[in-house]
Amino acid sequence: MRSALPVLYSFRRCPYAMRARLALAASGQECELREVVLRNKPPSLLQASPQGTVPVLVLPPTPDGAPGQVLEHSLDIMLWTLARHDPEAWLAPTEGTLADMLALISQCDGPFKHALDRCKYPNRYPDTNPALARAQAMAWLQVLEERLTRQPFLFGTHTALADMAIAPFVRQFAGIDAGWWEGQPWPHLQAWLAQWQSSPLFHSVMHKLPAWVEGTVGVPFPHPEGV
């Protein structure tokens, strides 16, 4: 009998869910994927994770029948699956350490995400100056550009955890105004993002799926056509 699979609650366009799917696909970790409509969250998601955000990975029950662990944060999901199998050496960059990558990801998830939200959704933050938010985002993106002038990826010569954790958020920022983005003096950052968006791995985790219906089985992930 086939063992129960982890259940991944996801939302296609969410950058946090995107980074989790990237790592799960790269590691070859099979899951049951349940695509969530955020305005109508399924009860099983809220039961597993009352905060109701995605991604959430629910691990199978333990051999003694206890409920499986629930991973509620995208970075925890990435680290969990890559610790099990990391064929592309995402956790072993050619420059710097895992701690260095986690520090840069923390800057992405903190100050950059704060500025990104205020650039993308100015109506939600009426007391914020969008020009100031854009300047703050640009200053951090310049840091990435400078890193990429020295090496093809953020931490050396191959894709690593930091690239895959940060790229979904840079993509979101670039999508605010594609023409403006293309006009910025960031040739290395722009090429890095374009390469990532054209990769087979990216396309393999971006399939459009119908919303999961409570009580039914989700879809296999990674998808049958593979990476």
Side-chain angles (χ1 to χ4, degrees), residues 7-24:
V7 172
L8 176 66
Y9 292 93
S10 183
F11 176 61
R12 177 178 176 270
R13 298 197 308 274
C14 170
Y16 294 105
M18 201 179 297
R19 63 162 52 152
R21 296 196 307 272
L22 287 163
L24 289 163

Side-chain angles (χ1 to χ4, degrees), residues 21-121:
R21 296 196 307 272
L22 287 163
L24 289 163
S27 71
Q29 173 62 55
E30 294 183 51
C31 302
E32 176 192 334
L33 191 154
R34 299 178 177 180
E35 179 74 5
V36 172
V37 176
L38 297 179
R39 64 178 178 275
N40 186 25
K41 296 172 184 176
S44 59
L45 167 61
L46 297 174
Q47 181 178 4
S49 177
Q51 66 185 11
T53 59
V54 292
V56 169
L57 187 68
V58 182
L59 302 184
T62 63
D64 62 3
Q69 183 182 5
V70 178
L71 302 178
E72 301 178 87
H73 300 287
S74 59
L75 195 56
D76 290 340
I77 296 171
M78 296 184 84
L79 293 172
W80 173 82
T81 193
L82 293 169
R84 290 166 61 88
H85 188 48
D86 184 16
E88 303 293 334
W90 287 14
L91 298 182
T94 58
E95 297 290 339
T97 65
L98 175 58
D100 294 331
M101 292 196 293
L102 293 175
L104 189 66
I105 294 168
S106 179
Q107 294 174 14
C108 173
D109 293 2
F112 178 68
K113 182 62 165 61
H114 182 274
L116 167 60
D117 286 346
R118 284 151 182 78
C119 293
K120 186 173 176 64
Y121 309 109

Side-chain angles (χ1 to χ4, degrees), residues 143-165:
V143 172
L144 301 188
E145 171 68 17
E146 291 169 3
R147 295 186 70 89
L148 293 167
T149 62
R150 304 190 298 268
Q151 54 206 12
F153 299 97
L154 293 174
F155 283 87
T157 58
H158 69 75
T159 299
L161 179 74
D163 300 278
M164 291 299 183

